[in-house]
C-alpha cells in the first residue's frame, strides 16, 4: 500500500481502508477520499492527554477512500519501515504516515543526565504494517549489537527499533568543542540488538548545544 515516488513523495494506494498522516502533508490525490483531522495523534483520549503532559504533540489526519493519495513534507527524505508486530520509537516531527494496521502512542524513554530529572518522551508505532518516517537528508540505518553499542547525537536521531535499551550521558559534541555551544550537551547511548535511524543534519533540541 505504501510506495515511494522518488525519495521525497509517499504514494498510498487505498481500497476503502485508511491511513493516518501528518496534518497538511497531503499534496495530491485521485479517486474518492475523505479527510478527518485527529487531535493528539495517540490512541483515544488517553493518548491525547499523555501528549499534552509530555509535550510530544502531533497533529494528524485520517485519510480514507478509494484511489491514491500522495504525501510529502518540506521536501524531506522519506523512509519506509515495515513492522511485524514489533515497535518503532520515532520522534513525532519525523513521523509522516502509518497504515491502518499500526497503533501510535507515547513512551517514556528515560531521564536526561544532569538535567534536574526532566523526562524525555517519544512517539511509538507498533503492530503489523508500514510506517513512513522523514529525515533531513538521506537517512542512515545503523546496526547495534551487544558487542558494539552505539552513541548518537540527539539532534541527528530519528528513530529506533529492536531490543534496545537507551541511556543519556553527558558528552562533548563538535559544536561544544568548537566553542559554539552554550548549554548542556548530552548524547544517547544504545545497547542491545536493533536498528537506529539517523539523519545527516542536526536539529535544535532541548539539550541546547547538540
Amino acid at each position: 500500500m505504501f510506495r515511494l515516488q522518488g525519495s521525497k513523495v509517499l504514494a498510498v494506494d487505498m481500497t476503502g481502508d485508511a491511513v493516518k498522516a501528518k496534518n497538511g502533508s497531503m499534496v495530491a490525490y485521485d479517486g474518492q477520499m475523505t479527510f478527518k483531522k485527529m487531535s493528539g495523534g495517540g490512541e483515544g483520549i488517553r493518548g491525547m492527554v499523555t501528549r499534552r503532559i509530555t509535550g510530544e504533540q502531533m497533529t494528524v489526519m485520517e485519510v480514507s477512500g478509494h484511489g491514491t493519495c500522495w504525501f510529502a513534507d518540506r521536501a524531506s527524505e522519506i523512509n519506509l519501515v515495515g513492522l511485524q508486530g514489533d515497535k518503532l520509537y520515532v520522534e513525532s516531527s519525523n513521523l509522516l504516515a502509518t497504515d491502518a494496521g499500526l497503533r501510535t502512542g507515547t513512551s517514556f524513554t528515560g531521564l536526561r543526565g544532569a538535567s534536574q530529572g526532566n523526562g524525555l518522551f517519544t512517539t511509538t508505532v507498533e503492530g503489523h504494517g508500514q510506517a513512513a518516517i522523514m529525515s533531513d537528508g538521506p537517512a542512515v540505518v545503523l546496526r547495534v549489537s551487544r558487542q558494539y553499542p552505539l552513541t548518537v547525537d540527539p539532534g541527528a536521531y530519528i528513530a529506533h527499533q529492536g531490543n534496545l535499551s537507551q541511556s543519556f550521558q553527558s558528552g562533548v559534541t563538535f559544536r561544544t568543542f568548537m566553542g559554539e555551544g552554550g548549554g548542556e550537551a548530552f548524547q544517547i547511548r544504545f545497547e542491545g540488538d536493533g536498528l537506529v535511524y539517523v539523519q545527516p543534519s542536526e536539529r535544535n533540541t532541548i539539550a541546547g548545544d547538540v
Side-chain angles (χ1 to χ4, degrees):
M1 186 170 62
F2 281 21
R3 55 188 173 88
L4 294 180
Q5 292 199 211
S7 62
K8 300 179 180 180
V9 177
L10 170 69
V12 181
D13 300 314
M14 286 183 279
T15 56
D17 40 6
V19 297
K20 286 187 289 187
K22 185 175 183 179
N23 195 47
S25 62
M26 187 275 294
V27 294
Y29 71 91
D30 62 22
Q32 299 294 321
M33 298 287 172
T34 60
F35 301 87
K36 182 175 70 174
K37 185 177 180 179
M38 303 173 63
S39 298
E43 300 296 331
I45 298 298
R46 182 178 179 183
M48 293 170 61
V49 172
T50 301
R51 290 180 186 281
R52 286 174 182 163
I53 292 174
T54 64
E56 179 71 6
Q57 298 180 0
M58 295 173 60
T59 304
V60 300
M61 59 183 178
E62 183 181 77
V63 184
S64 58
H66 293 78
T68 301
C69 195
W70 289 269
F71 302 93
D73 185 52
R74 296 172 297 177
S76 298
E77 299 280 339
I78 301 173
N79 313 269
L80 298 183
V81 180
L83 297 177
Q84 301 295 326
D86 50 332
K87 183 181 292 188
L88 174 73
Y89 298 82
V90 56
E91 295 292 288
S92 63
S93 60
N94 293 98
L95 182 60
L96 177 64
T98 61
D99 69 26
L102 297 175
R103 303 179 302 278
T104 57
T106 304
S107 176
F108 175 70
T109 61
L111 294 175
R112 181 157 60 96
S115 64
Q116 301 174 349
N118 293 330
L120 295 179
F121 297 81
T122 193
T123 295
T124 59
V125 182
E126 59 184 317
H128 291 79
Q130 284 186 298
I133 62 176
M134 299 179 293
S135 58
D136 185 3
V140 177
V141 184
L142 302 176
R143 164 68 65 178
V144 181
S145 66
R146 300 192 185 280
Q147 294 81 13
Y148 297 99
L150 180 71
T151 301
V152 177
D153 189 312
Y157 167 80
I158 302 172
H160 73 272
Q161 65 185 126
N163 186 22
L164 293 176
S165 63
Q166 63 183 110
S167 58
F168 301 92
Q169 59 187 25
S170 296
V172 177
T173 66
F174 284 114
R175 291 173 68 176
T176 51
F177 183 75
M178 297 299 293
E180 298 178 4
E184 176 196 356
F186 75 102
Q187 300 166 337
I188 311 175
R189 180 180 174 87
F190 292 94
E191 297 179 272
D193 186 16
L195 301 174
V196 177
Y197 300 79
V198 298
Q199 62 185 7
S201 175
E202 289 188 352
R203 61 180 175 273
N204 293 326
T205 70
I206 60 173
D209 62 340
V210 295

